[in-house]
Amino acid sequence: MRARELHADLHLLDRQVVRAGDDAPVCKVDDLELAGDPPYVAAVLAGPLALAPRIGGLPGWLMRSVTTLFRSEEHPQPRRIPMHLVTEIGSAIKVSGEPAEAALERWARENVVARIPGSGGGRPPGGEVVHATGPVPTISWFRGRTVTDAAGEVVGRVADVRLRQDGPLLMGVQNAFRISDLIVVPRRTGKLFGYERGPGGRAPWLVETLIRHRLKGSKLVAWDQLAWEHGTWREETDAGLRLNVPADRLAPLGELYEREPGRT
């Protein structure tokens, strides 16, 4: 049976995370923590410290600085929800158990609520507060990076990351989503929306034609076509990605389409 496939930006980032038992909101997916080689998604990251690097520039710097100011830890980190707790990925991401509370809520509880007589103070029932334990590679590290082929010719920039659920087994519960491909588009191309990636045949003919024209030259880069070495992550740099093959060996993005029966 073919492993499930998702696109990080299209299907995961910015989705609402809810508790599986009662659909109570937990957080939003602000980034995805990666581990292993080849990398796989190890955890959902949430909060301003996960979102700030994605925003970048002055707004991202301000978000990170203000958040750090109100955090008591020496090295504050994003909120972290391990992927083995994820029970469903759809319009929302459902997680089991009692996910850790957000840092701002924890700060208010410990510094305001806990001082009120009779409040009970202390930790909330269930679930220990869990945060990332230091700088970790994330899916957003790839987004927007320039890709050059083996000859040094620019292919484009990374617009999204394709994930396949055939990675290592997480806590004996489910297989991890590993990075299988990068979606690389011409540098002039704007944001992708989903029509351009299948299953195909669902967009109106005119919309599909316009999208195909706009994305002409877009490529699908398989993970083994990257000249990748363990530890390639470079924090806070704009280093590009190099391929070990010429650009003409790359599959066109159109190969992601899965035409509906009867469509040509």
Side-chain angles (χ1 to χ4, degrees):
M1 184 173 65
R2 185 175 180 180
R4 185 181 185 185
E5 294 177 348
L6 296 175
H7 297 170
D9 193 273
L10 183 64
H11 299 119
L12 293 171
L13 293 179
D14 299 318
R15 291 289 175 98
Q16 180 70 52
V17 178
V18 301
R19 286 193 311 214
D22 55 9
D23 287 342
V26 175
C27 61
K28 282 195 173 181
V29 181
D30 290 316
D31 211 338
L32 299 169
E33 177 184 318
L34 299 174
D37 187 16
Y40 61 88
V41 179
V44 166
L45 299 179
L49 294 181
L51 184 59
R54 284 179 58 199
I55 295 176
L58 180 59
W61 179 84
L62 286 172
M63 179 181 292
R64 180 167 47 192
S65 299
V66 171
T67 303
T68 302
L69 183 65
F70 287 97
R71 294 278 293 271
S72 59
E73 304 97 319
E74 183 177 358
H75 300 291
Q77 299 296 329
R79 184 181 186 186
R80 181 180 187 275
I81 299 177
M83 279 298 290
H84 72 267
L85 295 180
V86 173
T87 61
E88 183 179 332
I89 298 176
S91 57
I93 312 298
K94 293 189 176 184
V95 294
S96 62
E98 292 287 342
E101 62 186 335
L104 182 58
E105 295 171 357
R106 178 165 58 91
W107 181 89
R109 174 177 52 76
E110 293 177 347
N111 294 276
V112 179
V113 177
R115 299 174 186 271
I116 301 174
S119 67
R123 294 184 178 275
E128 184 178 355
V129 175
V130 178
H131 296 278
T133 56
V136 294
T138 64
I139 209 79
S140 62
W141 187 91
F142 288 95
R143 298 167 75 238
R145 289 190 181 268
T146 299
V147 177
T148 57
D149 70 2
E153 296 295 322
V154 174
V155 178
R157 64 175 182 85
V158 179
D160 208 342
V161 178
R162 190 183 186 201
L163 305 168
R164 183 173 291 131
Q165 196 175 14
D166 59 2
L169 193 63
L170 300 175
M171 300 293 289
V173 176
Q174 59 181 306
N175 288 94
F177 283 92
R178 69 169 180 88
I179 295 179
S180 62
D181 311 270
L182 304 179
I183 295 175
V184 179
V185 301
R187 287 188 291 184
R188 67 181 184 278
T189 306
K191 181 178 175 61
L192 301 182
F193 294 99
Y195 277 140
E196 69 281 335
R197 286 173 274 182
R202 293 184 177 178
W205 173 83
L206 179 58
V207 174
E208 185 176 310
T209 301
L210 291 173
I211 287 173
R212 282 181 173 272
H213 176 73
R214 186 173 73 95
L215 295 178
K216 185 177 181 180
S218 297
K219 302 292 184 181
L220 193 62
V221 176
W223 181 258
D224 60 9
Q225 292 176 320
L226 278 178
W228 182 266
E229 296 180 4
H230 186 64
T232 296
W233 316 105
R234 300 180 180 89
E235 293 292 328
E236 306 295 339
T237 73
D238 296 322
L241 293 167
R242 190 73 175 262
L243 305 181
N244 55 27
V245 296
D248 60 11
R249 292 275 301 278
L250 302 176
L253 184 59
E255 287 198 5
L256 284 180
Y257 277 85
E258 295 174 7
R259 292 287 181 182
E260 293 178 342
R263 292 283 301 233
T264 57

